[in-house]
Amino acid sequence: MSAIITEKFRQHNANQFHESFTETSGNTYYLFLGKATPFTSGTTTGSDSSPPTPQDGEQDETRAWDSMLAAKKIASTDITFAIPRRNWVNGTTYDMYEHNISSGNTTTSSASNLYDSTFYFVTSDYRVYKVLDNNGGTAYDGAEPTSTSTSPFALGGYILKYMYDISTTDIGKYVTTDFIPVATDSTVSAAATDGAIESLTITAGSGYTDGTYYAAVYGDGTSQGTSSGAIVRITVSGGAIASFGLTAGTDTTIHAAGAAYTFGYVNLGAGYTFSDSSLSSASNMGGSGGAINVVISPEGGHGSNAVTELGGHYIMSASTITQAENDDFSTANDFRTVGIVVDPTDYGTSTVATATTARQTFVVKFSSSSGTFEADEVITQATTGAVGKVVEWDSVLSLLYYQQESFKGFGTNSTTGGLVAFSGTNQITGGTSAATGTPSSTSSETVTLANSNTLTLTSGYANPELQPDSGDIIYLENRKPIQRASDQTEDIKIIIEF
């Protein structure tokens, strides 16, 4: 049995995901950074120069939690619908919109799916246009379009439809080399007519009598097949039907667009063509081999909904991590993993988190220390057998940030493989630096951090702020290491295709 996942199904899922950010009982999403330690063949497989592809399973989700550094809530203002970026370049041959693209009717570029084709483009001014006609599959030849008319217009040999402008704010936040945000222009949408015929495909034929003819568009449109419905104005020159365009007398044009068509036919036979637009004076064209096929506009008409018309089944999230972000994001180490987790809970509870940012490292405060702990070095607590790795050492406040990944020597005992938590006032030692520290015994202590945020420790220790393995990690990406710094900001854009 043959089957497809339809574009409307993809769009439905994208819409549902988009709506979940703003619904009354919606979901809560966090972008997280992780993995301060290198990828190795003995642990995660892969290497820093060739990161492994994440597994789609529980193991890598658990490991992502173990190595998570910090998370930031994704606001509804941080997401947008998006489409692949197709740049306008003069001399480029673009595809055109047709309602019936398939393996049996491919585009100029041989795409068998409209949304895989180049039937729209974005200009250097960040205006987006849909191609209604590509001049028989020839290259665009003319000036860069700038029109914001709600009506189709001709330029460069093409017939174009203005769709929308990308705002200055969205250019800075969402535009990438591969994707652009997509949104509907309310003025263009208001001018759209559902089921209007706005373009045609022509087979020229031969032996026709030169002149001007009119023909009704039959089908299911309002007043179909009559002078009150859609009408085509046909130009015959040199015995052939002129190609579709907007110039009456030179091109075969749309005389009246009509409305509510979901299919339509133009009959060129005797008795169906006329010399007048009121379709009262029959005029036989003669000839043979020609055809005029109507192109059905998308639901609502061209420009009614740019998101669905242009294939906006992509959601882009764009989050900015600004320096230490409430002192939750370390600036003293690098990261290799980016992900999205939905509905994580606060540590030790079943309550979905609401904080803007969350630190995911463990912290220990020393009452006394010697030496300087190094990022990524192994730390051990001989008395308990606990093992971990350093994320950051704050020598001013005597705070050691660390993680315990589920690999021997990274977070579990190198002999038994068991996970043991650091605890008590037992000395902690750096495996490379030989630095040592004695955890504080103070039952409850609040420390003011570098950016005036506070950290509360119990008997010298602080847990992560999100409960590990809570919620669901729905996106996971491994990257080459990215080093952070105290004056650094990262713009992280994630594209999700439905």
Side-chain angles (χ1 to χ4, degrees):
M1 178 182 292
S2 298
I4 61 167
I5 298 296
T6 67
E7 174 63 22
K8 287 193 174 182
F9 185 73
R10 295 177 187 275
Q11 193 63 59
H12 169 77
N13 287 338
N15 292 344
Q16 292 295 106
F17 183 67
H18 192 277
E19 289 170 5
S20 70
F21 282 82
T22 55
E23 291 171 330
T24 302
S25 300
N27 298 106
T28 302
Y29 298 87
Y30 282 84
L31 170 81
F32 66 83
L33 306 182
K35 193 62 178 156
T37 57
F39 296 114
T40 69
S41 58
T43 55
T44 54
T45 73
S47 65
D48 275 358
S49 60
S50 182
T53 300
Q55 298 174 3
D56 187 7
E58 293 296 325
Q59 178 173 272
D60 269 17
E61 184 166 348
T62 298
R63 288 176 175 173
W65 274 107
D66 291 342
S67 66
M68 195 178 296
L69 295 167
K72 182 174 183 178
K73 190 175 181 181
I74 303 174
S76 59
T77 53
D78 294 332
I79 63 166
T80 185
F81 290 102
I83 54 177
R85 182 171 180 170
R86 323 286 195 199
N87 293 325
W88 175 85
V89 178
N90 195 33
T92 299
T93 300
Y94 295 95
D95 293 314
M96 60 177 278
Y97 171 86
E98 291 185 78
H99 65 277
N100 57 345
I101 297 299
S102 67
S103 58
N105 180 42
T106 59
T107 67
T108 300
S109 65
S110 299
S112 59
N113 181 297
L114 175 66
Y115 304 102
D116 293 333
S117 72
T118 58
F119 72 103
Y120 64 86
F121 57 73
V122 59
T123 67
S124 61
D125 290 332
Y126 294 101
R127 290 191 176 97
V128 178
Y129 296 90
K130 183 191 292 186
V131 179
L132 299 189
D133 184 83
N134 65 356
N135 198 16
T138 59
Y140 187 102
D141 183 17
E144 184 175 26
T146 59
S147 173
T148 57
S149 170
T150 58
S151 299
F153 63 94
L155 192 67
Y158 280 29
I159 296 174
L160 305 175
K161 173 73 176 183
Y162 167 71
M163 297 296 288
Y164 66 100
D165 272 23
I166 304 175
S167 69
T168 301
T169 299
D170 283 353
I171 291 169
K173 185 166 187 173
Y174 295 116
V175 169
T176 73
T177 56
D178 297 316
F179 286 87
I180 55 173
V182 57
T184 299
D185 182 294
S186 59
T187 301
V188 176
S189 179
T193 300
D194 187 24
I197 306 300
E198 296 195 63
S199 60
L200 309 166
T201 61
I202 307 294
T203 302
S206 61
Y208 292 100
T209 302
D210 289 0
T212 298
Y213 305 86
Y214 295 87
V217 178
Y218 288 82
D220 64 347
T222 302
S223 301
Q224 59 88 21
T226 73
S227 59
S228 298
I231 299 173
V232 175
R233 185 184 191 278
I234 305 165
T235 296
V236 175
S237 178
I241 302 173
S243 60
F244 170 66
L246 300 182
T247 306
T250 300
D251 304 319
T252 294
T253 64
I254 304 293
H255 177 75
Y261 284 89
T262 64
F263 66 92
Y265 305 97
V266 177
N267 191 330
L268 300 180
Y272 290 93
T273 58
F274 301 84
S275 61
D276 61 316
S277 60
S278 61
L279 309 183
S280 59
S281 300
S283 180
N284 187 11
M285 291 171 53
S288 63
I292 298 176
N293 296 309
V294 298
V295 177
I296 303 299
S297 61
E299 184 176 357
H302 290 293
S304 173
N305 187 330
V307 175
T308 59
E309 291 174 50
L310 301 181
H313 55 257
Y314 300 83
I315 298 293
M316 179 189 296
S317 76
S319 299
T320 299
I321 309 299
T322 305
Q323 288 107 44
E325 282 281 1
N326 301 321
D327 292 302
D328 286 330
F329 282 76
S330 174
T331 60
N333 212 319
D334 49 16
F335 66 92
R336 294 161 176 79
T337 297
V338 176
I340 295 175
V341 58
V342 56
D343 293 338
T345 61
D346 292 323
Y347 190 90
T349 78
S350 58
T351 302
V352 174
T354 59
T356 301
T357 59
R359 170 188 49 79
Q360 280 308 105
T361 54
F362 291 91
V363 189
V364 59
K365 187 178 189 304
F366 294 138
S367 58
S368 63
S369 63
S370 175
T372 301
F373 289 92
E374 299 177 3
D376 296 341
E377 73 171 324
V378 175
I379 52 172
T380 58
Q381 193 174 44
T383 305
T384 63
V387 180
K389 282 211 170 185
V390 174
V391 172
E392 179 179 355
W393 166 237
D394 185 338
S395 60
V396 175
L397 298 175
S398 296
L399 296 174
L400 184 67
Y401 297 80
Y402 67 93
Q403 291 179 320
Q404 291 183 282
E405 293 186 62
S406 56
F407 304 112
K408 288 183 179 181
F410 280 64
T412 63
N413 188 279
S414 59
T415 301
T416 67
L419 175 66
V420 178
F422 288 84
S423 62
T425 58
N426 306 295
Q427 180 176 283
I428 295 173
T429 304
T432 303
S433 66
T436 60
T438 300
S440 171
S441 61
T442 304
S443 59
S444 181
E445 187 174 2
T446 299
V447 178
T448 300
L449 302 174
N451 296 291
S452 301
N453 295 285
T454 59
L455 170 68
T456 300
L457 303 102
T458 302
S459 298
Y461 295 89
N463 291 314
E465 294 177 330
L466 300 179
Q467 177 62 40
D469 300 313
S470 65
D472 292 306
I473 292 178
I474 60 172
Y475 179 86
L476 190 60
E477 177 183 349
N478 292 331
R479 300 183 175 188
K480 295 179 181 179
I482 300 172
Q483 182 64 51
R484 302 208 72 230
S486 59
D487 60 350
Q488 186 167 305
T489 295
E490 282 85 20
D491 289 323
I492 299 176
K493 298 177 175 64
I494 294 175
I495 302 292
I496 302 172
E497 180 181 4
F498 290 90

